Structures are given as C-alpha cells and as structure tokens.
Amino acid sequence: MSVQSTNDLVNELASIRLFEVPIASVTMKQAVRLVEDCILHRKRLDIGVVNAAKVVAMQKDLMLRESVLSSDVIFADGQSLVWAARLAGKHLPERVAGIDLMYALLERGSQVGFKVYCLGAEEWVNARVAQKIRDDYPGVQLVGRRNGYFSATEEPEIAKEIADSCADILFVAMTSPLKENFMARWGDAMNTTVTHGVGGSFDVFAGKIRRAPRIMQSLGLEWLFRVMQEPTRLWKRYLTSNFAFLRLLAKPSPPER
C-alpha cells in the first residue's frame, strides 16, 4: 500500500465553504474511514468540528477561529449547518457530530485495537468514562487519562505525558475555545496521530447529563434540550448565539475562492 500524506487523504474528501469555513462534505462512515486510514499510515490528523454557536464565536474570537482553521479537517457538528448548506445550494450529506464520531471511533477501535487517551472533564467523569471504555469497548487500549482541570504551567508536562503514551487517538473533552486553543498550542508536542475535541461528550458518556432524544437531534433542537436541563446557566447563551447565527444566515455569501 502506498504511503499517503494527510493532505492527500483529506483532499480525497469532498468539501464546501460555509461562513468562510471549509467543511468536509462527508458521512459518518467516511469520517471514520479517514481516521482509520490516518492511523494506518501514521499520518497526523487534527479534527475540528463546528456548530452554530462556534461559527458565531469565530466571528469575534480570532484565536478560536485560527485554532479551528488550523485543523486538518473540519466536520459539521450541528444540524443547523446542514440546513444552512442547503439554503446556500451546497451539499452536506449529514452532520458528523463530535460525540457520535467519538462513539464510532471507540466502536471501530474495539475491533482493531486503537490506543486512546482521554483528556478533560471533572475527575469523577473522566474516571467513569475510562471505566465505560474498558467495559463497553474492551478492544480499545486505554493508554492514559487526565481530568481537564489544570493550570497553564502544567500544560507542558501533560503534553509530554500524552506524547509518551503513544496514543492513536486523543479525545479532548474541554469547552470552547479552551480545547481548540489547547489542541493548536500543543499539537506538535503531544504527537498523537489523531486529535479530536469532543467538548461535553464525556459528561454525556458518564451519565452526568442526558443527551437529547434522537427526534430532537434530527430537528436541530439539542440546544433546547440542554437549556431544559440547565435553564439558568444556558438560556441566555443559546438565545444570543441562535439569533446571531440567524443574522449570519441573512448575510450575502462571499464568492467562492
């Protein structure tokens, strides 16, 4: 089998530009295949995911924008982006949600023996995720874990620990923009083959919070389900970001480059 670069593997995928962000126009199956190919060829792949809230944040947070755009491939995490693409006359076959990609990679990893490192979330959540991986995905090699509460001075040591683990996949369960900036800042030092920022997925995996029913996911209402669980903390954030996303939709699209 010929050796391919990460660019070659990514360029084989169709992509579109939406809100000046290059988004892979792929199915979940294709996304998993890309990850597996990169692990097989030992080609580094930094995965970015975007949803409506992150697209809005990227308009003002230039560091976040730069960190996301530095990813090797960017997937559409939110159903709203699939609909936005259709309104723009572009094609996204389906959303590739970060949490679903995580589960799919664990499923495939259990079959072929991927080595995984889990970084992020509270200590009890991280420990619970590690135990569930051992129980539910016994073929996965869990080569390390650490909670997401650490100072900037601890980051070099954490990056070295991850590098020493020789992980195939690093899951980073931290909030935006912390995870994107951490991944961009320490990607070279951590030297994992695949890095995937999974946000609050560990909280769902561990049972700390519930995920929206599938019907609400398909209707693009996961945000509403989150607000229903934590109304005091989240209602203003989602209301603001949703209206800002609608304003972005109303803007004329720049010409393709």
Side-chain angles (χ1 to χ4, degrees), residues 22 40 140 157:
L40 176 65
V140 168
E157 180 183 350

Side-chain angles (χ1 to χ4, degrees), residues 50-138:
V50 289
N51 54 22
K54 192 179 296 185
V55 166
V56 168
M58 288 168 63
Q59 307 307 304
K60 294 184 178 180
D61 189 334
L62 298 183
M63 181 178 291
L64 171 63
R65 182 176 185 83
E66 182 178 341
S67 295
V68 172
L69 294 181
S70 70
S71 304
D72 296 304
V73 64
I74 302 172
F75 296 126
D77 180 76
Q79 185 62 34
S80 57
L81 292 184
V82 177
W83 294 335
R86 291 175 186 170
L87 288 173
K90 302 176 181 182
H91 180 61
L92 285 177
E94 63 183 17
R95 66 185 294 222
V96 180
I99 186 171
D100 293 328
L101 179 58
M102 179 186 73
Y103 287 139
L105 293 177
L106 288 172
E107 183 68 35
R108 183 58 181 154
S110 191
Q111 298 168 357
V112 298
F114 290 161
K115 293 180 289 185
V116 170
Y117 191 107
C118 293
L119 175 68
E122 298 173 75
E123 173 59 26
W124 78 266
V125 170
N126 189 287
R128 173 66 174 156
V129 166
Q131 188 58 54
K132 285 184 68 65
I133 289 175
R134 296 185 187 100
D135 294 342
D136 299 346
Y137 305 98

